[in-house]
Amino acid sequence: EVQIVESGGDLVRPGGSLRLSCAASAFTFINYNMNWFRRAPGKGLEWVAYIGSASAAIYYADSVKGRFTVSRDNAKNSMFLQMKSLRAEDTAFYYCARENTYCTSDVCGGALDYWGLGTLVTVSS
Amino acid sequence: QSVLTQPPSASGTPGQRVTISCSGITSNIGGDSVNWFQHLPGTAPKLLIFLNNQRPSGVPARFSGSKSGTSASLAINGLQSEDEADYFCAIWDDSLNAWVFGGGTKLTVL
């Protein structure tokens, strides 16, 4: 059964840094693009970062660009999110999700088909 | 301000049909396929619909999706108390190189 497990969340002071990890199992990790998302208290789901299967393509939300860095280690079936210059508004549950491509007879598109339970990042003094 | 627009809340009684809308513009929903997710805080978001109207295995048939032009909808037939959750639409926007979401709809089962 596909499993995705995030870890590394913690309480950190504004301006601090934190590194999140995402461990994947029961699928061929190198074949899939991966994403980070977050959900702040009282807010909706927000995309944070995308990394292609071979790390050739990497994209970030404007809200984290220049502060967060996504990476992956395909040999260890893992993805990471290095966060620096953290702000109070970065407080959220952070989720890792697998992106798959599906096709019907007339359309192809991406689907975020497996997610982890999330890890909580709290930025507060 | 979310790129996609959803009503903030919806409600229904057990057994009813509820629909949740998601509207965008030509460059997002108009050109890409829609995902729908169910999420309860503290749990993993769950994919309900992909490719506008396809259900992953394990998702009950009473969940269905549709898309027309720049709008999409999620319908839940035979509403159950366990359906009380937040629902989000999302697409991969090729022009932004980003996943964009609706603001979410909180569904209450009365």
Side-chain angles (χ1 to χ4, degrees), chain A residues 60-88:
Chain A
Y60 298 98
D62 287 344
S63 57
V64 307
K65 203 172 293 184
R67 301 186 300 122
F68 289 12
T69 302
V70 63
S71 62
R72 63 191 292 166
D73 184 339
N74 287 338
K76 295 183 178 178
N77 294 337
S78 295
M79 178 176 67
F80 308 97
L81 187 67
Q82 179 67 50
M83 305 185 295
K84 64 179 185 180
S85 303
L86 282 162
R87 306 165 180 166

Side-chain angles (χ1 to χ4, degrees), chain B:
Chain B
Q1 191 80 9
S2 301
V3 174
L4 305 178
T5 302
Q6 294 180 236
S9 63
S11 63
T13 56
Q16 269 191 330
R17 171 185 168 94
V18 169
T19 61
I20 298 171
S21 62
C22 173
S23 62
I25 58 177
T26 303
S27 64
N28 46 53
I29 285 187
D32 293 282
S33 61
V34 181
N35 285 204
W36 285 94
F37 302 95
Q38 179 189 63
H39 190 218
L40 277 165
T43 69
K46 179 182 179 181
L47 178 67
L48 294 177
I49 298 289
F50 64 100
L51 292 180
N52 306 319
N53 56 19
Q54 302 296 302
R55 275 179 293 105
S57 61
V59 173
R62 54 197 188 81
F63 290 92
S64 62
S66 63
K67 189 184 99 167
S68 177
T70 58
S71 291
S73 290
L74 173 72
I76 309 173
N77 287 300
L79 198 62
Q80 298 180 5
S81 57
E82 68 217 47
D83 298 333
E84 190 161 286
D86 300 319
Y87 292 83
F88 296 90
C89 59
I91 61 149
W92 174 261
D93 189 321
D94 283 327
S95 65
L96 299 176
N97 283 324
W99 280 96
V100 295
F101 283 84
T105 299
K106 183 174 184 61
L107 176 63
T108 302
V109 181
L110 302 169

